Amino acid sequence: KIAFINPAATRMLGYGSKELIGKEIHEKIHHSHPDGSPYSKSECPMYLTRVDGTDHNIADEVLWRKDGSSFPVEYTSMPIKKDGQIVGAVVTFMDITERKKAELELKKLSRAVEQSPTSVVITDTHGTIEYINPKFTELTGYNATEVMGKNPRILNSGKMPPGHFKNLWETLLAGREWQGEFHNKKKNGDLFWEYARISPIRNSEGQITHFVAVKENITERKRLQAKLMRAKQAAEDATQAKSDFLANMSHEIRTPMNAIIGMA
């Protein structure tokens, strides 16, 4: 039975203290699971503390308000002893609704990154890889164990000019987003093209702590572009050949025609 309850607890629960003092705590605020199914008192950590003197720290249950609504809580339940005998328990709890919302948002963000159709790489400010998503492994052939603690230059094919990376780092360390292409090499040696957007990640003080790269495989696009360029060049060459042919034919025809016209 409740012997004392502080104002913070009554505000969270929606009860007045007089409505709770002397009442059994389990039946009033802890009677059901989050899904509404009955919560047996014999399984209740708050009750068990009073019975057998065990400490409990719980972070995945709910308490019930006077209006019938529930809210997620983290709570501890500790025994009160006098002369070696258990005479009660102290239950402290806090509303973790906002924490749960934040955890849900983080889970959604995590799933989005994990299931992203583009490669995602997170490095520290020195370029050391701290995270890759499954798409990175699928594309490059490197798994997380092989690249964690390494630099993204593990993918360097040697096909890009040195100034390309110099510009990249100057841009990032200045706190700006960098966009550009990489001609990289997979674990098996195959070459591929990526279009990347790399952005600084800042902490609450505004300091850059990490960089996140979101990279799209553009190998097929590059292949089609090269094919179109070759076709364009072939068309231009054919047009030039046609023009040269007509010019030559015009000259060859004009000479005898002038003689014929003269004779006529």
Side-chain angles (χ1 to χ4, degrees):
K1 293 181 179 180
I2 299 172
F4 167 83
I5 186 166
N6 75 345
T10 57
R11 283 196 301 271
M12 280 187 257
L13 296 168
Y15 285 99
S17 60
K18 292 181 179 180
E19 295 178 278
L20 295 175
I21 299 298
K23 302 296 192 302
E24 290 197 6
I25 187 171
H26 185 78
E27 280 72 12
K28 295 295 285 187
I29 67 172
H30 202 210
H31 47 75
S32 303
H33 290 289
D35 62 2
S37 59
Y39 195 157
S40 171
K41 185 166 73 171
S42 62
E43 300 173 357
C44 171
M46 300 180 193
Y47 177 74
L48 293 176
T49 295
R50 175 64 183 86
V51 173
D52 56 23
T54 53
D55 294 353
H56 296 276
N57 190 352
I58 308 296
D60 58 353
E61 293 185 353
V62 300
L63 296 182
W64 294 84
R65 300 185 181 96
K66 181 179 179 179
D67 63 9
S69 63
S70 65
F71 61 101
V73 293
E74 177 179 340
Y75 71 84
T76 60
S77 181
M78 302 180 66
I80 301 173
K81 294 182 179 180
K82 184 176 181 180
D83 299 328
Q85 299 295 316
I86 302 169
V87 296
V90 175
V91 178
T92 61
F93 63 89
M94 60 187 298
D95 185 341
I96 58 171
T97 301
E98 293 305 315
R99 184 199 302 176
K100 287 290 186 181
K101 287 181 180 178
E103 288 174 354
L104 182 60
E105 290 300 314
L106 284 173
K107 286 179 181 178
K108 286 194 293 186
L109 178 60
S110 177
R111 285 195 296 270
V113 172
E114 288 288 305
Q115 298 172 23
S116 172
T118 57
S119 296
V120 178
V121 181
I122 297 177
T123 73
D124 64 15
T125 53
H126 301 291
T128 303
I129 295 174
E130 294 187 359
Y131 170 83
I132 61 169
N133 72 339
K135 190 65 178 181
F136 177 94
T137 298
E138 178 186 329
L139 177 60
T140 68
Y142 289 103
N143 61 40
T145 303
E146 293 172 305
V147 300
M148 288 301 178
K150 303 288 181 61
N151 191 284
R153 69 172 64 94
I154 193 174
L155 302 176
N156 193 348
S157 66
K159 302 291 185 181
M160 305 299 293
H164 187 76
F165 299 101
K166 183 175 183 293
N167 171 263
L168 181 156
W169 279 107
E170 287 177 349
T171 301
L172 291 178
L173 293 175
R176 302 192 303 273
E177 181 185 83
W178 182 90
Q179 299 180 38
E181 296 178 351
F182 293 115
H183 199 187
N184 284 336
K185 182 171 63 175
K186 299 181 181 182
K187 182 180 178 180
N188 64 7
D190 290 347
L191 299 179
F192 67 104
W193 283 93
E194 288 184 303
Y195 179 79
R197 298 172 68 102
I198 308 177
S199 306
I201 300 175
R202 301 176 185 273
N203 61 17
S204 57
E205 285 75 40
Q207 300 169 323
I208 298 173
T209 60
H210 294 81
F211 299 114
V212 57
V214 180
K215 304 187 292 179
E216 178 187 3
N217 182 8
I218 59 170
T219 306
E220 184 62 18
R221 186 192 307 171
K222 281 286 190 179
R223 188 187 68 80
L224 291 175
Q225 287 177 349
K227 185 176 180 180
L228 288 172
M229 288 298 294
R230 289 194 297 270
K232 180 175 179 291
Q233 187 62 49
E236 290 175 350
D237 292 345
T239 300
Q240 186 61 46
K242 179 180 178 182
S243 298
D244 293 344
F245 173 77
L246 292 176
N248 290 333
M249 287 299 295
S250 175
H251 174 73
E252 295 297 330
I253 293 172
R254 190 182 305 114
T255 302
M257 284 299 291
N258 287 337
I260 293 170
I261 292 170
M263 291 175 64

